[in-house]
Amino acid sequence: MSHTPVNRAALQTPHQDLHSEQGALREEHPGRSRNPVIKAADLAWLEFEKPDLDRAEVFARDFGFAIAARAEGELWLRGTFAGSPCMVIRRGHTSRFIGPAFRATERADLDRLARATGSTVRDIGVPGGGQSVSLLDPSGLPVRVVHCAEQLPALPEQEPLILNFGTDHRRTNATQRPPREPSRIQRLGHVVLETRVFARTLDWYLDTLGMIVSDFLFLDGQRGRGPTMAFIRCDQGSVAVDHHTLALHLGPGTGYVHSAYQVTDLDAIGAGGEYLAERGYQRSWGIGRHIQGSQLFDYWRDPDHFMLEHFADGDLFSCDLEPGWAPMSASGLSQWGPPVTRDFLGTNPSPAKLRQVMTALRGDNELDPARLLGLMKAMSS
């Protein structure tokens, strides 16, 4: 695959106050592949293993998922929107993230992908039936591309509250009393992954799945070495999609950082957060509004310490918007909200974190001492 720059005359630049103060410099990464194998339509679901499915189901209901299916050894979770499930949790000896599944635009994409990668199209046990191609990204993370035979039907929604704005009075003689209940998940929005081989992993998702970059982040004084984080969206042409379906960042670890699930509005985030707090769950960071992607956010830890996000009101981009470029910093993560926590940043010192750093510095990857120091500086700035 080639990353020869696309026709920039046909793209909108980030200097039109669209989403970033900076665009690419000459010869920098264009943020898309010239000739991808396929163009994935969206994330389908995420796959986990956990030893206690009963405990996983209790948290899932408290967080706002509906149950799509429950069998002896697996639990399928879903949102209210029609489509595929959001997550599958299979019983395993330890709690671990297996990998993401992306939705193919059409069934023929699986054949095209199998031919290009030497893989095989196989049937999968998703509710309603389906087929998939199993791949490995350059980090060694399993990635499925799936096509489901049937869509799950829509479920009743959590209705947005009617708001009054200034002189625009839409609600009179009526009070607002949002119920204290779980934030009803609508759909899976995105997953964030950490990798020691950022550049190779980024190019793989662009070349293989046809994804395109919305925003790059770079380290202070190291822009010439390339970006260290990318917010990546699916390419559905003129149809506007989430600012990012996948985010990748360079780091000493490999794999899951967090996943995000759309809810109705800010009140759903707030009331659902109070519901979670009352049940003793740990908030990681929130409530606030991000910069890249603009989402309202609230981050929580499940009983197995995986981080999950409630979000609402995210940016939507079509294919004709080129990447923005911005320096990476902890203070640049939000427009407003409480200070970012060490738990969210993953900077709490621990023996496991130290082992990750030492292993990464000794390995054949992109994390050298200069990169590591730059990341540490960014996460404290």
Side-chain angles (χ1 to χ4, degrees):
M1 297 298 151
S2 171
H3 287 109
T4 302
V6 295
N7 179 10
R8 294 187 180 275
L11 301 176
Q12 299 180 56
T13 75
H15 305 289
Q16 296 171 306
D17 296 326
L18 287 173
H19 66 110
S20 178
E21 294 181 0
Q22 302 182 47
L25 303 176
R26 183 181 293 274
E27 304 304 325
E28 284 187 316
H29 200 301
R32 60 186 75 201
S33 176
R34 184 175 164 215
N35 187 29
V37 179
I38 66 166
K39 291 187 176 182
D42 203 352
L43 264 178
W45 60 78
L46 304 178
E47 302 189 5
F48 293 84
E49 285 185 356
K50 296 185 178 185
D52 190 337
L53 294 189
D54 291 333
R55 185 176 71 169
E57 182 174 344
V58 170
F59 173 79
R61 292 184 185 275
D62 288 343
F63 193 74
F65 291 105
I67 307 303
R70 174 78 192 260
E72 177 62 27
E74 62 184 30
L75 172 66
W76 288 89
L77 308 178
R78 61 161 299 177
T80 59
F81 285 1
S84 66
C86 293
M87 184 187 297
V88 56
I89 305 172
R90 297 186 177 91
R91 183 174 287 113
H93 294 296
T94 60
S95 294
R96 66 189 186 108
F97 176 62
I98 303 301
F102 290 85
R103 179 168 59 87
T105 302
E106 55 188 16
R107 170 61 182 79
D109 285 345
L110 299 187
D111 296 323
R112 187 178 302 111
L113 191 60
R115 288 194 300 269
T117 61
S119 304
T120 303
V121 179
R122 300 183 186 278
D123 292 334
I124 50 173
V126 61
Q131 294 181 304
S132 76
V133 172
S134 296
L135 308 168
L136 284 178
D137 77 9
S139 298
L141 188 71
V143 176
R144 286 185 193 258
V145 180
V146 304
H147 186 268
C148 296
E150 297 179 12
Q151 285 197 336
L152 298 172
L155 298 176
E157 288 291 331
Q158 192 170 27
E159 293 298 325
L161 297 187
I162 299 172
L163 304 180
N164 289 327
F165 299 98
T167 59
D168 182 8
H169 300 158
R170 306 181 185 187
R171 190 186 78 257
T172 58
N173 297 327
T175 60
Q176 293 278 44
R177 302 291 187 269
R180 191 66 58 83
E181 63 183 6
S183 306
R184 206 170 303 174
I185 301 300
Q186 295 175 326
R187 64 183 179 94
L188 168 62
H190 64 259
V191 63
V192 179
L193 303 175
E194 183 175 0
T195 174
R196 301 169 186 168
V197 285
F198 172 82
R200 280 191 283 150
T201 304
L202 169 66
D203 287 349
W204 185 87
Y205 282 97
L206 306 190
D207 290 338
T208 308
L209 302 185
M211 305 182 81
I212 53 182
V213 176
S214 297
D215 279 288
F216 283 119
L217 300 184
F218 58 88
L219 296 177
D220 183 39
Q222 297 187 34
R223 181 166 179 172
R225 294 190 63 183
T228 50
M229 186 165 188
F231 297 88
I232 311 163
R233 67 190 186 275
C234 293
D235 181 359
Q236 293 194 27
S238 61
V239 176
V241 301
D242 288 342
H243 171 272
H244 55 285
T245 302
L246 169 69
L248 297 172
H249 73 77
L250 177 65
T254 297
Y256 182 90
V257 178
H258 77 257
S259 53
Y261 304 87
Q262 181 177 289
V263 300
T264 300
D265 58 12
L266 180 58
D267 278 282
I269 292 175
E274 291 298 306
Y275 184 90
L276 288 168
E278 288 173 352
R279 279 149 184 79
Y281 297 110
Q282 175 195 346
R283 174 179 269 129
S284 180
W285 182 36
I287 298 172
R289 186 181 282 277
H290 280 307
I291 294 179
Q292 275 79 25
S294 303
Q295 300 97 333
L296 296 162
F297 65 81
D298 195 20
Y299 292 90
W300 292 84
R301 293 284 184 180
D302 77 0
D304 297 283
H305 208 62
F306 290 107
M307 190 190 302
L308 293 87
E309 174 190 3
H310 284 144
F311 81 92
D313 190 36
D315 292 337
L316 301 174
F317 287 179
S318 60
C319 71
D320 55 357
L321 192 69
E322 66 178 9
W325 288 69
M328 178 182 281
S329 69
S331 60
L333 291 172
S334 66
Q335 302 176 42
W336 58 261
V340 63
T341 63
R342 294 175 67 90
D343 179 69
F344 176 82
L345 294 174
T347 56
N348 286 324
S350 69
K353 179 65 69 175
L354 181 59
R355 285 194 296 271
Q356 278 187 343
V357 170
M358 297 306 296
T359 299
L361 290 175
R362 290 195 296 263
D364 180 17
N365 56 65
E366 298 168 31
L367 195 75
D368 55 32
R371 283 305 221 192
L372 178 61
L373 290 173
L375 289 168
M376 294 171 62
K377 178 181 177 182
M379 292 303 98
S380 63
S381 63

